Each structure stands twice: as C-alpha cells, then as structure tokens.
Amino acid sequence: MPSLTLAQTPAGAPANTWGGGLGFGNGLELHGDYQTAGHLLLLGRARYKWWGPSSGPGVGQVDHLNTSSRQTEIAALAGYGLPVGRSLLYGAAGVAYVAGRQLGEYRYSTLSNGLASSDATYYYAYRSYQALGLPVEIGFRAPPLRGLRLGLAGQAHFNPEHSVYCVLLTLWADRLGGPLHRAR
C-alpha cells in the first residue's frame, strides 16, 4: 500500500523566524530580518555613517561634530537565505532612503577660551541632500553560539547623491520571539 507523505521543511532550513542585531563598519547599523523556511529573507536596516574632511583644520578630531559629513540610511531589502550547515549565506536587494550632509571646502575657525585651555571650532561649507537608492547586500553568518551569530556583510547603496560601499562586521540575535510556524 503506498504511503502518503507531506512536504516538510528540509533539516538544515530554519523555521520562520525573526532576528536582529547590530553592524559595525563605516558607521553604526541596526538591522532586523525575517527568514522563512522557504529561504525568503526580508531585511530592514537603519545606518548612521560619518566621515571627516580629507584636508583642512579639524581633520581627525572626533570632538568637532561640525567637521564631519553624515548620512542616515533606512532600507528595506528582499532576498534569498541559503543555509550551509549551520551557517547562512544570503543576498538581498531593495529600496532605501538616504539623507545627509556633505562637507565642502574649509571656511573659517572660531576660538573660545576656557579656564585651562582654548578650543577651536572649524566651519566648512556643506550641502544637505536626500535621495532614494538601490541597496544591495551579500553576507555570511557563522553558526549560532548561544543564540548569537557573528557575520560579515558586503553592502553597496547606489544613489545619485553619495553612493556607499562598505564591509560590516555584524552581530545577529536569531529567533527573536521564537518560531512563528510550528509543524503539526
């Protein structure tokens, strides 16, 4: 007599789960994801990036906030997550909004005298911008250790104002809130 078998999730594929974490690279990133048993991966991220001027006074000084260019990105991506053993390889693309400030040439400095020292504030010309762009991400997540995964992600964000290419070290917490779908 033939037996009837139902399609089941492969042993290496994760159940439908939520995850999230932090990324460190050319800025700070907060990210989250939803991975289905069918390998669909939905990613969301928010990143704040900053960089200093290449020349002029105030170069390399962290305490002068007005000597840095800044960019904030909010992105939604969809892609494919492929379990390899207990690790995960993934790739995704989507749409993102960026807003930022790009420094221009050095303009002037002001000095203020404190009790023990004098501080200088450096001013640069700048322009503000906003744009929509195409974010792309390819990454790897190591096997979980106590519910946390280390990862490495290569990211690109193509937009007409200031495109970004970077590598981020990521930390992921898997299965936030537990599996959403249980086999019966």
Side-chain angles (χ1 to χ4, degrees):
M1 189 160 196
S3 63
L4 177 65
T5 58
L6 298 174
Q8 295 181 354
T9 302
N16 297 346
T17 58
W18 290 94
L22 300 171
F24 308 95
N26 67 344
L28 296 175
E29 174 180 292
L30 180 63
H31 50 249
D33 74 340
Y34 178 71
Q35 171 87 39
T36 69
H39 303 289
L40 173 66
L41 180 65
L42 302 175
L43 291 168
R45 69 181 188 218
R47 177 177 43 222
Y48 182 73
K49 173 190 172 196
W50 64 94
W51 63 100
S54 57
S55 64
V59 173
Q61 296 182 12
V62 177
D63 57 339
H64 299 293
L65 293 178
N66 60 336
T67 63
S68 65
S69 295
R70 306 172 193 141
Q71 180 173 296
T72 302
E73 170 191 349
I74 298 174
L77 300 91
Y80 189 82
L82 178 64
V84 178
R86 296 182 62 215
S87 300
L88 180 72
L89 291 173
Y90 67 93
V95 65
Y97 167 79
V98 291
R101 178 180 97 155
Q102 177 72 46
L103 286 186
E105 64 184 43
Y106 167 69
R107 293 292 189 195
Y108 63 92
S109 300
T110 59
L111 297 173
S112 63
N113 289 324
L115 293 175
S117 65
S118 66
D119 296 324
T121 303
Y122 305 105
Y123 293 91
Y124 285 78
Y126 68 90
R127 69 176 184 85
S128 296
Y129 60 87
Q130 297 180 33
L132 291 178
L134 172 68
V136 177
E137 183 169 339
I138 297 172
F140 169 79
R141 297 184 204 166
L145 179 64
R146 296 186 181 167
L148 297 176
R149 290 180 184 250
L150 286 177
L152 195 60
Q155 297 179 347
H157 182 174
F158 305 103
N159 66 70
E161 294 295 333
H162 182 76
S163 291
V164 176
Y165 312 94
C166 65
V167 174
L168 271 79
L169 178 63
T170 58
L171 177 66
W172 292 85
D174 282 345
R175 297 184 183 230
L176 296 176
L180 296 179
H181 172 74
R182 300 188 195 281
R184 293 180 183 204

PDB file of all heavy atoms in Angstrom, residues 163-179:
ATOM      1  N   SER A 163      26.914  57.496  -3.084  1.00  0.00           N
ATOM      2  CA  SER A 163      26.877  56.036  -3.031  1.00  0.00           C
ATOM      3  C   SER A 163      27.838  55.532  -1.967  1.00  0.00           C
ATOM      4  O   SER A 163      28.872  56.143  -1.703  1.00  0.00           O
ATOM      5  CB  SER A 163      27.233  55.440  -4.387  1.00  0.00           C
ATOM      6  OG  SER A 163      26.209  55.719  -5.313  1.00  0.00           O
ATOM      7  N   VAL A 164      27.488  54.399  -1.357  1.00  0.00           N
ATOM      8  CA  VAL A 164      28.263  53.835  -0.257  1.00  0.00           C
ATOM      9  C   VAL A 164      28.635  52.402  -0.601  1.00  0.00           C
ATOM     10  O   VAL A 164      27.800  51.638  -1.067  1.00  0.00           O
ATOM     11  CB  VAL A 164      27.429  53.853   1.048  1.00  0.00           C
ATOM     12  CG1 VAL A 164      28.174  53.173   2.173  1.00  0.00           C
ATOM     13  CG2 VAL A 164      27.058  55.264   1.433  1.00  0.00           C
ATOM     14  N   TYR A 165      29.897  52.052  -0.350  1.00  0.00           N
ATOM     15  CA  TYR A 165      30.384  50.688  -0.492  1.00  0.00           C
ATOM     16  C   TYR A 165      31.131  50.371   0.789  1.00  0.00           C
ATOM     17  O   TYR A 165      32.023  51.118   1.176  1.00  0.00           O
ATOM     18  CB  TYR A 165      31.347  50.571  -1.676  1.00  0.00           C
ATOM     19  CG  TYR A 165      30.811  51.203  -2.931  1.00  0.00           C
ATOM     20  CD1 TYR A 165      31.132  52.516  -3.264  1.00  0.00           C
ATOM     21  CD2 TYR A 165      29.953  50.497  -3.767  1.00  0.00           C
ATOM     22  CE1 TYR A 165      30.632  53.106  -4.403  1.00  0.00           C
ATOM     23  CE2 TYR A 165      29.442  51.084  -4.912  1.00  0.00           C
ATOM     24  CZ  TYR A 165      29.787  52.387  -5.219  1.00  0.00           C
ATOM     25  OH  TYR A 165      29.271  52.966  -6.347  1.00  0.00           O
ATOM     26  N   CYS A 166      30.765  49.286   1.463  1.00  0.00           N
ATOM     27  CA  CYS A 166      31.419  49.008   2.733  1.00  0.00           C
ATOM     28  C   CYS A 166      31.331  47.524   3.091  1.00  0.00           C
ATOM     29  O   CYS A 166      30.554  46.775   2.516  1.00  0.00           O
ATOM     30  CB  CYS A 166      30.808  49.844   3.844  1.00  0.00           C
ATOM     31  SG  CYS A 166      29.089  49.445   4.192  1.00  0.00           S
ATOM     32  N   VAL A 167      32.134  47.154   4.066  1.00  0.00           N
ATOM     33  CA  VAL A 167      32.093  45.832   4.680  1.00  0.00           C
ATOM     34  C   VAL A 167      31.783  46.057   6.149  1.00  0.00           C
ATOM     35  O   VAL A 167      32.405  46.901   6.790  1.00  0.00           O
ATOM     36  CB  VAL A 167      33.445  45.100   4.510  1.00  0.00           C
ATOM     37  CG1 VAL A 167      33.444  43.789   5.268  1.00  0.00           C
ATOM     38  CG2 VAL A 167      33.737  44.876   3.040  1.00  0.00           C
ATOM     39  N   LEU A 168      30.808  45.325   6.654  1.00  0.00           N
ATOM     40  CA  LEU A 168      30.410  45.459   8.051  1.00  0.00           C
ATOM     41  C   LEU A 168      30.602  44.148   8.791  1.00  0.00           C
ATOM     42  O   LEU A 168      30.332  43.081   8.245  1.00  0.00           O
ATOM     43  CB  LEU A 168      28.929  45.848   8.169  1.00  0.00           C
ATOM     44  CG  LEU A 168      28.603  47.315   8.171  1.00  0.00           C
ATOM     45  CD1 LEU A 168      28.635  47.866   6.777  1.00  0.00           C
ATOM     46  CD2 LEU A 168      27.256  47.544   8.788  1.00  0.00           C
ATOM     47  N   LEU A 169      31.048  44.246  10.029  1.00  0.00           N
ATOM     48  CA  LEU A 169      31.044  43.127  10.954  1.00  0.00           C
ATOM     49  C   LEU A 169      29.685  43.180  11.634  1.00  0.00           C
ATOM     50  O   LEU A 169      29.297  44.224  12.156  1.00  0.00           O
ATOM     51  CB  LEU A 169      32.171  43.275  11.977  1.00  0.00           C
ATOM     52  CG  LEU A 169      32.241  42.189  13.038  1.00  0.00           C
ATOM     53  CD1 LEU A 169      32.528  40.836  12.397  1.00  0.00           C
ATOM     54  CD2 LEU A 169      33.308  42.532  14.051  1.00  0.00           C
ATOM     55  N   THR A 170      28.944  42.080  11.595  1.00  0.00           N
ATOM     56  CA  THR A 170      27.581  42.091  12.125  1.00  0.00           C
ATOM     57  C   THR A 170      27.433  41.124  13.288  1.00  0.00           C
ATOM     58  O   THR A 170      28.137  40.108  13.373  1.00  0.00           O
ATOM     59  CB  THR A 170      26.555  41.737  11.032  1.00  0.00           C
ATOM     60  OG1 THR A 170      26.863  40.454  10.486  1.00  0.00           O
ATOM     61  CG2 THR A 170      26.562  42.772   9.926  1.00  0.00           C
ATOM     62  N   LEU A 171      26.516  41.436  14.156  1.00  0.00           N
ATOM     63  CA  LEU A 171      26.133  40.588  15.280  1.00  0.00           C
ATOM     64  C   LEU A 171      24.632  40.394  15.187  1.00  0.00           C
ATOM     65  O   LEU A 171      23.885  41.374  15.112  1.00  0.00           O
ATOM     66  CB  LEU A 171      26.513  41.248  16.604  1.00  0.00           C
ATOM     67  CG  LEU A 171      26.102  40.493  17.860  1.00  0.00           C
ATOM     68  CD1 LEU A 171      26.871  39.174  17.956  1.00  0.00           C
ATOM     69  CD2 LEU A 171      26.368  41.344  19.084  1.00  0.00           C
ATOM     70  N   TRP A 172      24.185  39.135  15.156  1.00  0.00           N
ATOM     71  CA  TRP A 172      22.775  38.812  14.982  1.00  0.00           C
ATOM     72  C   TRP A 172      22.279  38.006  16.174  1.00  0.00           C
ATOM     73  O   TRP A 172      22.952  37.099  16.639  1.00  0.00           O
ATOM     74  CB  TRP A 172      22.565  37.967  13.732  1.00  0.00           C
ATOM     75  CG  TRP A 172      22.825  38.683  12.466  1.00  0.00           C
ATOM     76  CD1 TRP A 172      24.024  38.844  11.839  1.00  0.00           C
ATOM     77  CD2 TRP A 172      21.864  39.359  11.660  1.00  0.00           C
ATOM     78  NE1 TRP A 172      23.860  39.571  10.692  1.00  0.00           N
ATOM     79  CE2 TRP A 172      22.540  39.893  10.547  1.00  0.00           C
ATOM     80  CE3 TRP A 172      20.491  39.551  11.756  1.00  0.00           C
ATOM     81  CZ2 TRP A 172      21.901  40.617   9.563  1.00  0.00           C
ATOM     82  CZ3 TRP A 172      19.851  40.260  10.769  1.00  0.00           C
ATOM     83  CH2 TRP A 172      20.552  40.795   9.692  1.00  0.00           C
ATOM     84  N   ALA A 173      21.086  38.329  16.622  1.00  0.00           N
ATOM     85  CA  ALA A 173      20.367  37.501  17.593  1.00  0.00           C
ATOM     86  C   ALA A 173      19.299  36.763  16.803  1.00  0.00           C
ATOM     87  O   ALA A 173      18.438  37.387  16.186  1.00  0.00           O
ATOM     88  CB  ALA A 173      19.741  38.364  18.677  1.00  0.00           C
ATOM     89  N   ASP A 174      19.394  35.440  16.756  1.00  0.00           N
ATOM     90  CA  ASP A 174      18.444  34.632  16.000  1.00  0.00           C
ATOM     91  C   ASP A 174      17.198  34.338  16.817  1.00  0.00           C
ATOM     92  O   ASP A 174      17.240  34.294  18.042  1.00  0.00           O
ATOM     93  CB  ASP A 174      19.077  33.304  15.595  1.00  0.00           C
ATOM     94  CG  ASP A 174      19.995  33.447  14.408  1.00  0.00           C
ATOM     95  OD1 ASP A 174      19.921  34.490  13.735  1.00  0.00           O
ATOM     96  OD2 ASP A 174      20.772  32.521  14.153  1.00  0.00           O
ATOM     97  N   ARG A 175      16.134  34.098  16.087  1.00  0.00           N
ATOM     98  CA  ARG A 175      14.875  33.632  16.665  1.00  0.00           C
ATOM     99  C   ARG A 175      14.358  34.519  17.780  1.00  0.00           C
ATOM    100  O   ARG A 175      14.014  34.044  18.856  1.00  0.00           O
ATOM    101  CB  ARG A 175      15.016  32.193  17.144  1.00  0.00           C
ATOM    102  CG  ARG A 175      15.307  31.277  15.987  1.00  0.00           C
ATOM    103  CD  ARG A 175      15.355  29.856  16.434  1.00  0.00           C
ATOM    104  NE  ARG A 175      15.717  29.041  15.285  1.00  0.00           N
ATOM    105  CZ  ARG A 175      15.071  27.976  14.918  1.00  0.00           C
ATOM    106  NH1 ARG A 175      14.046  27.560  15.581  1.00  0.00           N
ATOM    107  NH2 ARG A 175      15.444  27.314  13.871  1.00  0.00           N
ATOM    108  N   LEU A 176      14.312  35.814  17.529  1.00  0.00           N
ATOM    109  CA  LEU A 176      13.694  36.728  18.488  1.00  0.00           C
ATOM    110  C   LEU A 176      12.217  36.400  18.575  1.00  0.00           C
ATOM    111  O   LEU A 176      11.514  36.394  17.565  1.00  0.00           O
ATOM    112  CB  LEU A 176      13.877  38.184  18.054  1.00  0.00           C
ATOM    113  CG  LEU A 176      15.323  38.677  18.006  1.00  0.00           C
ATOM    114  CD1 LEU A 176      15.374  40.096  17.477  1.00  0.00           C
ATOM    115  CD2 LEU A 176      15.970  38.581  19.348  1.00  0.00           C
ATOM    116  N   GLY A 177      11.724  36.084  19.729  1.00  0.00           N
ATOM    117  CA  GLY A 177      10.310  35.759  19.895  1.00  0.00           C
ATOM    118  C   GLY A 177       9.972  34.321  19.543  1.00  0.00           C
ATOM    119  O   GLY A 177       8.830  33.918  19.633  1.00  0.00           O
ATOM    120  N   GLY A 178      10.951  33.501  19.145  1.00  0.00           N
ATOM    121  CA  GLY A 178      10.698  32.090  18.845  1.00  0.00           C
ATOM    122  C   GLY A 178      10.116  31.893  17.460  1.00  0.00           C
ATOM    123  O   GLY A 178       9.783  32.841  16.751  1.00  0.00           O
ATOM    124  N   PRO A 179       9.978  30.627  17.055  1.00  0.00           N
ATOM    125  CA  PRO A 179       9.443  30.331  15.728  1.00  0.00           C
ATOM    126  C   PRO A 179       7.999  30.803  15.599  1.00  0.00           C
ATOM    127  O   PRO A 179       7.226  30.726  16.533  1.00  0.00           O
ATOM    128  CB  PRO A 179       9.528  28.812  15.631  1.00  0.00           C
ATOM    129  CG  PRO A 179      10.358  28.354  16.770  1.00  0.00           C
ATOM    130  CD  PRO A 179      10.398  29.442  17.778  1.00  0.00           C
TER     131      PRO A 179
END
